[in-house]
Amino acid sequence: MDTAFLRPPLARNLVYDEFAVLHSTSYPFHTLRYLRCNPIYSRPLLTTSPASPSRGLTQRVAALPDVDDFFWEKDPTPILDTIDAPIHLKNLSSKELKQLADEVRSEIAFIMSRKCQPCGPGRSVVELTIAIHYVFNAPMDKILWDAGQHAYAHKILTGRRSLFHTIKQKNGLSGFTSRFESEYDPFGAGHGCNSLSAGLGMAVARDINGRKNRIVTVISNWTTMAGQVYEAMGHAGFLDSNMVVILNDNCHTLLPKADGGPKMSVNAFSSALSKIQSSKGFRRFREAAKGLAKWFGKGMHEFAAKVDEYARGMIGPHGATLFEELGLYYIGPIDGRNIDDIICVLKEVASLDSTGPVLVHVITGTESDTGGNIRSEITANEEGPSNSSNDLLKFLETGLSRTYNDCFVEALTAEAENDKRIVVVHGGMGMDRSLRLFQSRFPDRFFDLGIAEQHAVTFSAGLACGGLKPFCIIPSTFLQRAYDQIVEDVDMQKIPVRFAITNAGLVGSEGPTNSGPFDITFMSCLPNMIVMSPSNEDELIDMVATAAMIEDKPICFRYPRGAIVGTSATLTYGNPLEIGKGEILVEGKEIAFLGYGEVVQRCLIARSLLSNFGIQATVANARFCKPLDIDLIRTLCQQHSFLITVEEGTVGGFGSHVSQFISLDGLLDGRIKWRPIVLPDRYIEHASLAEQLDLAGLTAHHIAATALTLLGRHRDALLLMK
């Protein structure tokens, strides 16, 4: 791999003041980030100087570590180099399998570190992945994953290693499992918790069709926050279909005990017990005992079942009986780093044809136990008196790429300082680092519910009914899962829940799985919902204040995941907006752009491009999709020949509401001609955000070219797009 683009032209031991580091073109910001997340550094890259202790940032920066070769070279992978498909694992010895695990982990860390992306979840399941493919026979046996990062080792071992460096890039590998990518991916890993339901469906279809292949689903303890998992487990227990459910437990919990609580431990006893539980002899003895108890009658059978349940509950870990009650045979816990134990148990589980659903509990450990997020490792190594160094590191990571989330959380925290009724409910996979500001400031008013989005929405409704002001923060793509609760539990009852819809629109490398193109459409069709979107961070601050003010109906606002425009120098308290009122930003003639959300900034750039062709366009900021600013729309229609609505959403959203109004108001019967610019009617695959916008036809150049085409200047439109 060519690392020339990462090599800064710096001599060893040079030190630069903070201004030079932040503004020098010879030492680009992405290089700092690469060095920051490179795991070979055991010491901080940044050192403090006592020259100016009051400034809050460090005065001097040590650019390079004191090592001979400060660039991480790729470790050799002799065994991995021989693996082109899972069948090549079958003849490896135990020692070779362990070495293979180290090589796969190194491969993942090397690739993801160059992308400055976390790799902890992917590295923690390497032994488990190898054991699964060693025992089972994919693609005939179906192996389903419920999270994309957990499938990284799976991708490498199933013939996609040569393309792994393209993961999340345009025309590269998906960050999730994909049925369109490989025959080894029988189902797409989306938002988690779907693998068990889909796997059960495949198991039933297998039985109906008389096949004998095995179904293996890997779920995580993040997944167990979602109700769908337990619905699927209960159904699997009722149907008694043969399938293997593997619980990948990294010991992380959203709801830690106040005293820290004991963590799940794996020792020699639990390992031996797991092997006994999974053995043929024990399973057959247990089934024979059940049959004998039935022969004695219902009472004896129920008594024997209770004895079995309590006995297994006493020697098993906490929570094991929950799975037994749902109808799954529990085995575990097993050490997720002991590949021999995992293989032993999985072989026993796979050897029996009629076992019903089995849950194998594997403790893979926390992310830091297995390398985790490389950036977290470096941070851990920087503990000590160098607090200002850490401050600069944080500034380097966030100060130059301040996001809408950062701005939103700061504004919400400021509002919460003055209004003790404001609480936050967060749903979705993972939590944005910016939310920790609110969590640390108001721990008793912050509720992180993970991917239990349905519960999050109804829980928020309950908080509102109790007199609080809940801000329900859920990424757009995860909000889709709670739509029934939004309709029935919030909008229909006019309960003032305030929805902050994050990651709206296109999201770049995460692809269609995590993008949010639909929320404008499905939120704006609700009768009582106020729907708005800011064009920049100043309006986002105002919309936080607006949402806090509304107490008689639900309200929502969406914003993208990217960096802010940068119009606000300092954080100020927001001023509530007049509901349903937009504004004209720049006046022109003949053609008008009416933008909704952050695309307003692209409309302004499009206007600048059109000025080069002698065209002065009007740009208006709608702010609200519902209710619409009908006075603004009438003015635009009466004073222009063409009206172009622009949004980063699908058909049926803002533009559809505008067209509905102007058609019913008779405005389309006059001189105005209306054209919408929306996302195309297809899923935009993973790529950089700029590439996605280009594919979607939503760049400033596309917007300007649309205007030129409407004006009949087709040649100019073609020239603009070259």
Side-chain angles (χ1 to χ4, degrees), residues 297-373:
K298 180 179 179 181
M300 179 60 72
H301 174 64
E302 292 178 350
F303 175 76
K306 286 294 182 182
V307 171
D308 177 67
E309 176 184 330
Y310 285 121
R312 285 167 55 74
M314 289 174 64
I315 62 177
H318 295 295
T321 53
L322 169 63
F323 302 115
E324 294 278 348
E325 288 287 349
L326 291 170
L328 281 73
Y329 181 78
Y330 177 89
I331 300 173
I334 305 170
D335 184 358
R337 295 300 297 274
N338 191 323
I339 198 167
D340 293 331
D341 282 358
I342 303 175
I343 289 176
C344 177
V345 170
L346 291 184
K347 277 186 174 180
E348 293 289 350
V349 170
S351 64
L352 292 178
D353 294 330
S354 302
T355 60
V358 176
L359 186 136
V360 181
H361 188 180
V362 181
I363 306 294
T364 56
T366 60
E367 295 176 13
S368 59
D369 290 337
T370 55
N373 187 333

Side-chain angles (χ1 to χ4, degrees), residues 207-511:
D207 296 341
I208 292 176
N209 292 323
R211 301 192 184 116
K212 296 296 183 180
N213 62 307
R214 287 159 292 192
I215 309 297
V216 181
T217 69
V218 185
I219 64 175
S220 67
N221 47 338
W222 277 99
T223 295
T224 56
M225 294 295 293
Q228 182 180 347
V229 168
Y230 300 103
E231 294 171 1
M233 285 184 183
H235 195 198
F238 172 76
L239 295 175
D240 202 33
S241 296
N242 293 340
M243 63 184 301
V244 180
V245 180
I246 298 176
L247 174 57
N248 163 32
D249 185 355
N250 67 358
C251 302
H252 177 83
T253 177
L254 287 174
L255 306 171
K257 296 180 180 179
D259 60 354
K263 289 189 175 182
M264 182 78 69
S265 62
V266 182
N267 50 40
F269 175 75
S270 63
S271 177
L273 182 62
S274 298
K275 294 176 182 177
I276 293 173
Q277 289 174 318
S278 62
S279 66
K280 293 181 183 179
F282 181 81
R283 297 292 302 278
R284 287 170 176 165
F285 171 77
R286 189 170 181 259
E287 293 300 319
K290 285 183 178 180
L292 183 62
K294 287 183 179 179
W295 184 79
F296 279 106
K298 180 179 179 181
M300 179 60 72
H301 174 64
E302 292 178 350
F303 175 76
K306 286 294 182 182
V307 171
D308 177 67
E309 176 184 330
Y310 285 121
R312 285 167 55 74
M314 289 174 64
I315 62 177
H318 295 295
T321 53
L322 169 63
F323 302 115
E324 294 278 348
E325 288 287 349
L326 291 170
L328 281 73
Y329 181 78
Y330 177 89
I331 300 173
I334 305 170
D335 184 358
R337 295 300 297 274
N338 191 323
I339 198 167
D340 293 331
D341 282 358
I342 303 175
I343 289 176
C344 177
V345 170
L346 291 184
K347 277 186 174 180
E348 293 289 350
V349 170
S351 64
L352 292 178
D353 294 330
S354 302
T355 60
V358 176
L359 186 136
V360 181
H361 188 180
V362 181
I363 306 294
T364 56
T366 60
E367 295 176 13
S368 59
D369 290 337
T370 55
N373 187 333
I374 296 176
R375 189 172 302 167
S376 299
E377 287 183 339
I378 300 300
T379 302
N381 288 327
E382 292 168 356
E383 295 177 354
S386 181
N387 292 328
S388 54
S389 176
N390 291 333
D391 289 340
L392 181 55
L393 287 173
K394 182 177 180 181
F395 177 80
L396 288 173
E397 288 189 343
T398 63
L400 300 183
S401 57
R402 185 169 156 79
T403 67
Y404 277 94
N405 258 331
D406 296 330
C407 186
F408 162 69
V409 174
E410 290 174 9
L412 184 58
T413 303
E415 289 287 337
E417 292 279 1
N418 297 325
D419 191 340
K420 297 186 182 302
R421 292 192 295 154
I422 290 178
V423 296
V424 164
V425 178
H426 173 262
M429 182 73 78
M431 185 174 70
D432 190 274
R433 55 172 173 73
S434 57
L435 279 171
R436 303 195 185 281
L437 171 65
F438 191 99
Q439 184 184 34
S440 61
R441 181 66 184 85
F442 308 106
D444 295 334
R445 293 155 63 182
F446 183 89
F447 306 91
D448 184 16
L449 303 181
I451 59 174
E453 298 90 359
Q454 296 171 323
H455 169 60
V457 170
T458 305
F459 176 65
S460 298
L463 292 172
C465 290
L468 298 178
K469 293 184 176 181
F471 277 76
C472 187
I473 306 172
I474 303 180
S476 175
T477 186
F478 289 94
L479 192 65
Q480 297 161 184
R481 293 162 41 149
Y483 191 58
D484 180 60
Q485 285 69 29
I486 295 172
V487 175
E488 299 283 340
D489 299 340
V490 176
D491 192 75
M492 191 176 293
Q493 303 182 54
K494 298 185 70 172
I495 296 176
V497 174
R498 299 142 187 91
F499 292 98
I501 306 174
T502 68
N503 290 10
L506 301 175
V507 294
S509 62
E510 297 297 331

